[in-house]
Amino acid sequence: MMTGNVVVVGSLNMDVVVKTSRFPVEGETILGEEVHFVPGGKGANQAVAAARLGVRTTMLGAVGEDAFGQTLLQSLHGSGVEVGHVKQVGGTATGIASIMLAPADNSIVVVPGANGTVTAADVQASEHVIAEADIVLVQLEIPMEAVESAVEAAWKHGVPVILNPAPARSLPKQLLGKAAYITPNRSELQTLTGVDLSSRPLEEAVDALLDMGPGCVVATLGAEGAAWKQRGGRLTMQQSYPVSVVDTTGAGDAFNGGLASCLAMGRSLADSVGYAVRVSALAVTKFGAQDGMPTREEVERFHTNVGEAAT
Ligand code: RIB
């Protein structure tokens, strides 16, 4: 029996991943090593992460009426995500992300396509789905009016929102004040607060963001894990685990899906952040944003193994 109900409002992309030994410099042409077409998009990745962890998950978003759109819907469905509220729009291509995967890092250009057609009215039409959720998860790869509408609907029905501020952009205080949790990475934290993390402590930026209204900041710190603080609380660090990294694409999405699923199952924030860090650590050991998302059993096995290794 599935417990927990997560609704994700966000993007679906086909990721066109080019493996290369290094990034080209401006104006340069180099030969890449491999190209892969794999399902992605921050919203869809987070939905797949949550569904594989065993919670009921519904996706709201849009794809084009094209082959990429069909593949993305099949991929979501195959992972157990309900896709009946993903609209299919004619005359607009499904979103794509052009990803260059170099040994040390990746760089991404997103062309939103159909993701850019999600309106506030689309979200309002699915308000009943949001009203039944335990957690609503939103990112910033769909138009702001749709993001605001999702947050408003969740607020109206008393459903906590996790706002993943990716890709980074400045956000209105009114929106931030309605987010129970906000989950920036370091660069998003800098963009949102203007605090330069190369010279200032992390907690200063976390406090600056808390002053803008969200109930809790959960900062993702890559290989260092995560840090979280509620207003009036203290900064708590959650270490990550040493793993063999294959592909970091979607690591933040794995974290957000893990956090959402655990909170939706009624677990504490401390437990949920720990769980999300493990989900993210496992996700980077496999290639592909969605293909790398672990199942609940894999996360539990990993927990047992790292727990034993630590004793
Ligand atoms: O977070 C990773 C995702 O960002 C990729 O799957 C790509 O589609 C972009 O949206």
Side-chain angles (χ1 to χ4, degrees), residues 174-311:
Q174 208 202 353
L175 181 77
L176 290 166
K178 290 181 175 159
Y181 310 93
I182 186 163
T183 56
N185 64 18
R186 276 182 196 278
S187 73
E188 290 150 3
L189 190 53
Q190 258 185 209
T191 303
L192 286 165
T193 62
V195 175
D196 178 1
L197 288 173
S198 65
S199 57
R200 307 298 310 160
L202 179 76
E203 191 162 7
E204 186 177 319
V206 168
D207 286 340
L209 186 50
L210 281 174
D211 284 345
M212 294 161 87
C216 179
V217 173
V218 185
T220 56
L221 306 172
E224 289 166 49
W228 56 276
K229 185 173 183 177
Q230 288 167 300
R231 213 168 311 119
R234 63 182 181 87
L235 189 74
T236 306
M237 303 299 293
Q238 172 66 54
Q239 296 300 316
S240 190
Y241 306 89
V243 289
S244 302
V245 177
V246 172
D247 182 5
T248 58
T249 313
D253 300 329
F255 182 93
N256 279 278
L259 184 69
S261 69
C262 211
L263 288 171
M265 287 189 266
R267 305 275 295 277
S268 70
L269 180 57
D271 280 358
S272 300
V273 174
Y275 189 78
V277 165
R278 290 191 287 280
V279 173
S280 181
L282 278 172
V284 301
T285 63
K286 290 188 190 152
F287 174 75
Q290 286 176 28
D291 289 349
M293 298 304 178
T295 61
R296 188 196 288 200
E297 293 69 33
E298 286 172 322
V299 181
E300 276 162 12
R301 210 175 312 130
F302 181 65
H303 190 193
T304 310
N305 292 343
V306 290
E308 278 169 5
T311 54

Side-chain angles (χ1 to χ4, degrees), residues 52-275:
R52 287 200 187 163
L53 295 168
V55 295
R56 179 176 164 202
T57 307
T58 304
M59 176 92 212
L60 309 187
V63 292
E65 285 177 341
D66 50 24
F68 281 173
Q70 285 310 309
T71 305
L72 296 184
L73 292 177
Q74 279 160 15
S75 169
L76 282 176
H77 180 69
S79 288
V81 179
E82 291 173 30
V83 294
H85 295 267
V86 178
K87 75 172 177 180
Q88 293 176 256
V89 287
T92 309
T94 294
I96 66 110
S98 171
I99 301 181
M100 221 177 310
L101 192 61
D105 212 342
N106 63 27
S107 71
I108 306 181
V109 178
V110 173
V111 183
N115 296 306
T117 72
V118 184
T119 62
D122 290 333
V123 177
Q124 282 152 15
S126 299
E127 187 179 321
H128 59 289
V129 179
I130 289 175
E132 285 172 8
D134 294 311
I135 289 278
V136 168
L137 188 47
V138 289
Q139 322 74 32
L140 304 177
E141 278 187 339
I142 55 172
M144 206 50 182
E145 64 162 280
V147 172
E148 285 172 342
S149 180
V151 173
E152 272 303 326
W155 179 261
K156 180 175 155 190
H157 293 283
V159 179
V161 169
I162 300 176
L163 173 58
N164 175 222
R169 53 173 291 174
S170 58
L171 291 169
K173 269 196 166 188
Q174 208 202 353
L175 181 77
L176 290 166
K178 290 181 175 159
Y181 310 93
I182 186 163
T183 56
N185 64 18
R186 276 182 196 278
S187 73
E188 290 150 3
L189 190 53
Q190 258 185 209
T191 303
L192 286 165
T193 62
V195 175
D196 178 1
L197 288 173
S198 65
S199 57
R200 307 298 310 160
L202 179 76
E203 191 162 7
E204 186 177 319
V206 168
D207 286 340
L209 186 50
L210 281 174
D211 284 345
M212 294 161 87
C216 179
V217 173
V218 185
T220 56
L221 306 172
E224 289 166 49
W228 56 276
K229 185 173 183 177
Q230 288 167 300
R231 213 168 311 119
R234 63 182 181 87
L235 189 74
T236 306
M237 303 299 293
Q238 172 66 54
Q239 296 300 316
S240 190
Y241 306 89
V243 289
S244 302
V245 177
V246 172
D247 182 5
T248 58
T249 313
D253 300 329
F255 182 93
N256 279 278
L259 184 69
S261 69
C262 211
L263 288 171
M265 287 189 266
R267 305 275 295 277
S268 70
L269 180 57
D271 280 358
S272 300
V273 174
Y275 189 78

